[in-house]
Amino acid sequence: MTDTGVKRAAPNLRSLTAARVSLPMSGHSIATSEVLEFQLAHAQARDAVHAALDTEAFARRLRDELPMLAEQGVEVLTLRSCAVDRARYLRHPQRGRSLDAASAAVLKSMPCDLAITIADGLSALAVERNAVPLLAVLLPRMAKDGWTMGPVTVVQQGRVGVCDAIGERLGARCSLILIGERPGLSAADSMGAYLTWQPRVGRTDADRNCLSNIRSGGLNVEEAAERLMGLMKTARTMKLTGVALKEGAGASLLEG
């Protein structure tokens, strides 16, 4: 408290976080500019949740912007979950964790080290902005480390668990899903990356490792790719992911 009884926040607090702290005031109310910015952020979050991912256009973009896929003979496939539309996807999360019959029939056994899935999740915007830049950094590192890949699958109305069904049908040793995270009021374009060893239907989040907040202004793609490769190498050595695999814990094991 000051002598006048007015509480003042630390003047440099806003430089440390994107959260709404140390807001300017007008009398006893928040300044109009801040109220309007909050309403804009709320609208952007709602738009991100309801926006649809054009999977065919995104698949073409992957082929065009990541020529390394074609060079390695990696297909890009578009799939759908059992959620037939966005409303059912949001109301019935379980439907987003499994593939519809037509999509499941497309996948054939193709044993590989890693199956990469890209899904809209709760923010198609996050995937559109961040998935390709991340893969542009990650794929060359994977090739250098000798990882074999199954087809890259792009899933409409997908939840994290859909990578289990995909990885199991392909016979992949490990799965990686890049998915739009639930938007917040500081960012509507945050992407998550989930790594699962021996994916199969019935896996839970306790069986996965996650990197969150991949975006400009959050975890940049270079750092995300480096951390993902560290997790992938350790997972391959220890043959596990999830709560038993702590990030960085395998460094001494890999060096040995």
Side-chain angles (χ1 to χ4, degrees):
M1 290 287 187
T2 66
D3 293 339
T4 60
V6 178
K7 186 185 294 183
R8 298 185 183 278
N12 64 341
L13 200 56
R14 299 195 79 178
S15 66
L16 303 176
T17 176
R20 284 178 167 76
V21 296
S22 192
L23 298 179
M25 305 291 289
S26 177
H28 294 291
S29 301
I30 298 174
T32 301
S33 60
E34 293 296 332
V35 174
L36 294 175
E37 285 188 16
F38 178 89
Q39 292 175 342
L40 174 61
H42 187 262
Q44 289 172 331
R46 288 177 60 88
D47 287 347
V49 168
H50 290 281
L53 176 66
D54 186 337
T55 54
E56 294 295 339
F58 192 79
R60 288 194 297 272
R61 183 182 166 199
L62 288 172
R63 298 184 189 103
D64 292 341
E65 298 185 29
L66 299 173
M68 191 175 202
L69 294 176
E71 291 168 4
Q72 296 182 355
V74 176
E75 290 186 278
V76 179
L77 305 176
T78 56
L79 309 175
R80 293 187 60 92
S81 75
C82 288
V84 296
D85 55 40
R86 200 65 180 169
R88 288 180 177 85
Y89 171 81
L90 294 173
R91 292 171 184 167
H92 304 283
Q94 189 59 36
R95 296 187 182 183
R97 299 185 181 110
S98 56
L99 295 171
D100 68 10
S103 295
V106 169
L107 299 177
K108 307 300 181 183
S109 179
M110 186 181 296
C112 56
D113 291 330
L114 185 70
I116 296 178
T117 295
I118 302 169
D120 44 11
L122 292 171
S123 175
L125 177 65
V127 169
E128 291 170 349
R129 287 184 177 176
N130 302 299
V132 173
L134 175 61
L135 290 176
V137 179
L138 183 64
L139 291 178
R141 299 187 183 196
M142 288 174 48
K144 185 177 179 180
D145 200 46
W147 286 75
T148 60
M149 288 177 55
V152 174
T153 51
V154 183
V155 182
Q156 191 173 59
Q157 320 287 21
R159 300 272 180 176
V160 172
V162 77
C163 69
D164 297 327
I166 293 170
E168 183 175 22
R169 293 189 72 88
L170 291 175
R173 299 172 67 197
C174 195
S175 71
L176 172 65
I177 183 169
L178 307 178
I179 190 167
E181 296 181 314
R182 185 184 305 276
L185 293 178
S186 296
D189 61 348
S190 178
M191 185 178 75
Y194 292 80
L195 189 70
T196 310
W197 182 258
Q198 290 186 341
R200 60 177 181 271
V201 175
R203 286 293 200 188
T204 69
D205 287 344
D207 300 313
R208 316 184 200 283
N209 289 87
C210 173
L211 291 185
S212 184
N213 197 32
I214 302 172
R215 64 182 180 88
S216 175
L219 180 64
N220 64 60
V221 294
E222 289 79 11
E223 185 178 353
E226 182 178 353
R227 291 174 62 180
L228 275 172
M229 280 306 305
L231 285 169
M232 289 163 58
K233 289 179 181 180
T234 310
R236 183 168 60 179
T237 300
M238 300 179 68
K239 295 181 171 51
L240 55 81
T241 51
V243 295
L245 176 60
K246 304 300 182 185
E247 187 175 2
S252 59
L253 175 63
L254 293 172
E255 290 171 2

